[in-house]
Amino acid sequence: DQESLVHELNLTVQHQNAEIEILESKVDELTGNFTSLAQTVELLLQASTFAPVDDCWSDVDELVPCTTAVPVVPTTPAATTAATKSRPPILHAVHVVYVSRSLLTNTFNVTVNASSVLGGELHYHYTLIQANSSGTKVFGIPSNSKHVTFSTPLTRDYFIQVKVTDNAGVHATVCFLPETEATGAVAEIACPVAASRAGGAFDFATSEVLDALL
């Protein structure tokens, strides 16, 4: 009986030793994997740069994220090209010049100053929005040029909303309406006004107006 017990104890010890060897092998494998992972992370950190606080931007179009905790992989030419292509046209200014007045209308010239980082032809779209109408009274101007001449009723003020679209027709920039939108829209250029009193006070006789209408 004692010999049998000793034999069983020896078998148990051998079995436990085998399990210990298997566990040690797994520990060595995990240690090797961890070392390899640590080396990979170190190489990535050496190849990356961090965005300093001064270079943080809130603009979604910027390539540098507003964080200093995540490494930023240096920008590739392809990434720069893609970001450039995603930028809408830049609306620099909208110039309105009063031209003349008749018994019923005012006439204005509009010139738009806009550009695009992509180059190519820009497309222009004009909309007249009557002031104090909450955008309910809208009239289109049939022109695709950066220069346009149009007339408005003598007794009404109109915002001239200008929309500039890139050559591909994908991205557009629109001036903002002071009545309904805050500065800081896509274009920080306010839509100008074609004012009813641009030519001065009205001095027409009622009979002259009626003659023009009839």
Side-chain angles (χ1 to χ4, degrees):
D1 292 338
Q2 290 181 349
E3 290 181 357
S4 177
L5 180 61
V6 170
H7 179 67
E8 290 180 0
L9 289 174
N10 287 334
L11 291 177
T12 302
V13 170
Q14 291 176 0
H15 180 70
Q16 290 177 343
N17 287 337
E19 289 184 344
I20 291 174
E21 290 180 358
I22 293 174
L23 290 174
E24 289 178 344
S25 176
K26 290 184 177 180
V27 170
D28 291 340
E29 182 180 356
L30 290 173
T31 302
N33 291 339
F34 179 80
T35 302
S36 177
L37 178 61
Q39 291 175 347
T40 301
V41 172
E42 183 178 358
L43 290 175
L44 287 174
L45 291 177
Q46 290 175 354
S48 303
T49 57
F50 288 87
V53 176
D54 291 342
D55 289 338
C56 266
W57 298 89
S58 59
D59 187 347
V60 295
D61 289 335
E62 292 296 336
L63 298 179
V64 182
C66 194
T67 177
T68 57
V70 180
V72 181
V73 178
T75 304
T76 62
T80 302
T81 302
T84 300
K85 289 184 177 180
S86 68
R87 291 182 179 275
I90 302 171
L91 184 58
H92 302 287
V94 181
H95 301 287
V96 181
V97 177
Y98 168 77
V99 177
S100 62
R101 180 174 67 185
S102 69
L103 290 175
L104 300 177
T105 62
N106 285 317
T107 300
F108 299 89
N109 282 340
V110 170
T111 301
V112 179
N113 182 4
S115 63
S116 172
V117 294
L118 298 178
E121 182 182 3
L122 295 176
H123 303 282
Y124 303 86
H125 181 267
Y126 302 90
T127 304
L128 294 177
I129 304 175
Q130 185 175 316
N132 302 317
S133 71
S134 300
T136 59
K137 297 183 179 180
V138 179
F139 308 93
I141 301 176
S143 177
N144 188 38
S145 171
K146 65 179 180 179
H147 304 289
V148 63
T149 300
F150 61 91
S151 298
T152 59
L154 193 63
T155 58
R156 299 287 185 269
D157 296 329
Y158 290 89
F159 288 106
I160 308 167
Q161 188 176 64
V162 180
K163 178 180 179 181
V164 184
T165 308
D166 61 18
N167 190 40
V170 177
H171 301 288
T173 301
V174 186
C175 62
F176 73 91
L177 296 174
E179 277 192 341
T180 58
E181 300 170 344
T183 303
V186 175
E188 293 189 0
I189 299 295
C191 299
V193 177
S196 59
R197 296 297 181 96
F202 306 141
D203 56 0
F204 301 118
T206 304
S207 58
E208 294 178 310
V209 176
L210 289 176
D211 289 340
L213 289 173
L214 299 176

